[in-house]
Amino acid sequence: MRVAFVGASHWHLPLYLDPALQIPGLVLAGVSDPDPAVSAALGQRLGCPDDRDYRELCRRERPDFVFALGRHADMAAQAEFLIGEGIPFALEKPCGLDSAELARIARLAAARRAFAAVPLVLRNGDFFRLLQDLAAEDGGVQHMAFRFIAGFAQRYLDAGCAWMLDPATAGGGCVLNLGPHFVDIVHALWGEAARPAATSLSNAAWGHPVEDYGALAFAGPGGALALVETGYLYPAPTSTFDLHFALRTPRHYLAVPDAETVEVTANDGARRRLRMHTTNVGQYPAFVRDVLERARRGQAPLADLDAMLPVMRLIEASYALAGPPPDRLAPTRAAVPA
């Protein structure tokens, strides 16, 4: 397969590119970034064509597949172009600035029967499947809590992605950036019964116009409650997190103390300790292999634009519950009705 990467200055590029380069027979069709210096440097380093205009690159090189990254503000336009050109693609989450953009490109993809994958990459791993299996076997989930705190906001400036700290180009802060993986779990386990119950946002740590800490509460069936806590607060390098996850079913308590450990304790005290990836980072190699194989075979992606839509709507509704923004925090977008 001939694969191209657009919006290549995105800090997630190595998470896609490195595993892709390990796939036998894969050829780099090209790289693109609005910054011509970034595009040219990557093209030279990787020995492949480059262009600052992804449209020109794709029309000239005709890749078999595109990984579309870049600014959130540009994602809907990227998707519209790729759908129109008939090029299968994976679009980095959150796939746009708001659910209106996302709904539009989802409708277009469905109408054209386009291959339009979304890297909700936890779905590619054992952890996501374990949660689904426990919920199915035990008769539901009574409580969920996900604490996922990443490194300082400065990392986006250091990576040349200052747009991530501007609501006009990013749409939101840590909630929109880190939260979708966990809101996707909440929706996967509770479906349409999940609804936002409370939200608190803060930019007290760094003072940028997007939140650097967010706490979301979701109500579920039977009075169940889920918490999703994200932030740019942990003094650690990229891909290292302060995390703790917990989930309660009628028969088990599941706890995740680190990025590779899951403890499942039954009501009688019997405990299983499992080793598996519990963060998004460890799932990208599996996602890259899976999405390219599905596209090659003409199969549907594991998660598409329609899968991202309820996640975006829950996040938007959560933003709307936050109330008046704290000092210096830019107003968030109002929820868009389903």
Side-chain angles (χ1 to χ4, degrees), residues 21 25 40 73 77 93 95 114 118 123 131-132 135 193 197 207 215 233-234 249 261 297 310:
L21 293 177
K93 59 176 182 53
C95 307
V118 178
R123 295 191 182 201
L131 298 183
Q132 289 182 308
L233 309 175
Y234 190 36
T249 72
T261 306
R297 293 187 175 189

Side-chain angles (χ1 to χ4, degrees), residues 30-46:
V31 292
S32 176
D33 193 81
D35 185 334
V38 170
S39 183
L42 275 171
Q44 183 176 17
R45 176 167 69 86
L46 297 171

Side-chain angles (χ1 to χ4, degrees), residues 42 65 123 193 221 247 254:
L42 275 171
F65 192 90
R123 295 191 182 201
L247 183 143
L254 180 147

Side-chain angles (χ1 to χ4, degrees), residues 6 29 39 47 81 100 102 152 171 196 230 238 242 246 295 318 325 333 335 337:
V6 307
S39 183
F81 170 79
L102 178 52
F152 296 168
T230 57
T238 299
D242 168 26
S318 296
R333 292 170 175 264

Side-chain angles (χ1 to χ4, degrees), residues 66-200:
V66 167
F67 288 96
L69 314 176
R71 305 188 313 170
H72 301 169
D74 300 329
M75 288 179 172
Q78 291 174 343
E80 289 179 19
F81 170 79
L82 293 168
I83 293 168
E85 292 292 312
I87 300 174
F89 64 95
L91 182 63
E92 177 61 78
K93 59 176 182 53
C95 307
L97 289 174
D98 54 42
S99 65
E101 287 189 342
L102 178 52
R104 185 178 72 252
I105 60 175
R107 288 193 300 268
L108 182 61
R112 300 287 183 89
R113 297 184 179 179
F115 186 99
V118 178
L120 293 168
V121 296
L122 288 181
R123 295 191 182 201
N124 289 90
D126 293 337
F127 178 59
F128 191 91
R129 289 187 286 270
L130 174 64
L131 298 183
Q132 289 182 308
D133 290 345
L134 272 181
E137 293 168 6
D138 291 1
V141 177
Q142 301 162 326
H143 167 73
M144 286 182 271
F146 302 96
R147 174 179 171 82
F148 193 70
I149 308 298
F152 296 168
Q154 180 65 35
R155 64 186 179 143
Y156 299 112
L157 301 176
D158 295 340
C161 298
W163 60 265
M164 270 295 294
L165 306 178
D166 181 351
T169 47
C174 60
V175 168
L176 188 58
N177 180 28
L178 304 174
H181 293 296
F182 309 105
V183 177
D184 184 42
I185 291 176
V186 172
H187 184 264
L189 297 183
W190 287 347
E192 298 307 311
R195 63 188 188 281
T199 304
S200 184

Side-chain angles (χ1 to χ4, degrees), residues 220-247:
L225 191 67
L227 304 175
V228 175
E229 185 182 4
T230 57
Y232 299 146
L233 309 175
Y234 190 36
T238 299
S239 299
T240 302
F241 308 96
D242 168 26
L243 67 87
H244 187 91
F245 309 152
L247 183 143

